[in-house]
Amino acid sequence: MSEDARHTTRSRLRALGTPLAAFGLLLVLIGAVALWVGTNAHRLITGETATVRTLERCTEGVGTAPAASCGSEWVFPNGSTGHGEIKNPPVAVGDRIFAGDDWAYSSTAPLHRAVWLPGALLCLLVLGAIALAVGYRIDTRRARAAPPPPAPPHPPGRQPPGPGPTT
């Protein structure tokens, strides 16, 4: 590979650095949001209603502390049981909750918020990534096809170089 070709390749890679870094960061953010949404969507799909059997050690979320929760045991309509923390109490023994084997919420509302709001953000991020990629592609094509910029005008009072005035 000639020195000119290596220089051209290096300058192209350097020019791509910032757009690639931005696009990579956007992909990481999209992946993180997708994992968050996927976990909560899985809970929303696989969970079912249950009845609180026992309550213990309820905590209140204050300031930066975790959200309020209660340790509990619950029973599903088929007779199987689960136990763990119930998020977003207040709940009492005998209340109906939305639960899985080792997790529970006082209702489905927190899960819907955890799925639909970040899901909308995920859609916006994907659309943003597509728009950035398309915009970058259009800009690079325009830059390649653009004619060279015109020569700057000569300052007033100075004559352009040439044969000079004829007498």
Side-chain angles (χ1 to χ4, degrees):
M1 183 181 278
S2 72
E3 185 63 35
D4 287 340
R6 272 185 273 201
H7 178 69
T8 303
T9 302
R10 267 190 245 130
S11 63
R12 283 185 185 159
L13 288 175
R14 201 173 295 127
L16 281 175
T18 302
L20 284 178
F23 191 69
L25 181 62
L26 191 59
L27 287 178
V28 168
L29 189 57
I30 288 170
V33 171
L35 285 174
W36 171 264
V37 168
T39 300
N40 289 310
H42 182 263
R43 285 183 173 182
L44 196 55
I45 292 168
T46 61
E48 56 184 304
T49 59
T51 304
V52 176
R53 183 187 280 180
T54 63
L55 281 177
E56 5 175 291
R57 65 181 197 287
C58 289
T59 61
E60 289 294 324
V62 178
T64 60
S69 64
C70 289
S72 178
E73 185 177 13
W74 50 87
V75 62
F76 295 102
N78 66 4
S80 64
T81 61
H83 66 282
E85 298 287 321
I86 299 176
K87 307 277 188 208
N88 297 37
V91 291
V93 173
D95 284 354
R96 297 184 59 80
I97 58 173
F98 188 75
D101 291 334
D102 58 353
W103 57 267
Y105 289 86
S106 58
S107 72
T108 60
L111 285 172
H112 279 287
R113 280 191 304 269
V115 168
W116 297 110
L117 292 177
L121 174 65
L122 180 64
C123 289
L124 289 175
L125 287 174
V126 168
L127 289 174
I130 291 169
L132 284 174
V134 169
Y136 179 75
R137 183 77 175 177
I138 289 171
D139 285 347
T140 55
R141 284 188 178 185
R142 279 187 188 152
R144 287 185 198 143
H154 296 287
R158 295 191 65 186
Q159 290 289 327
T166 55
T167 53

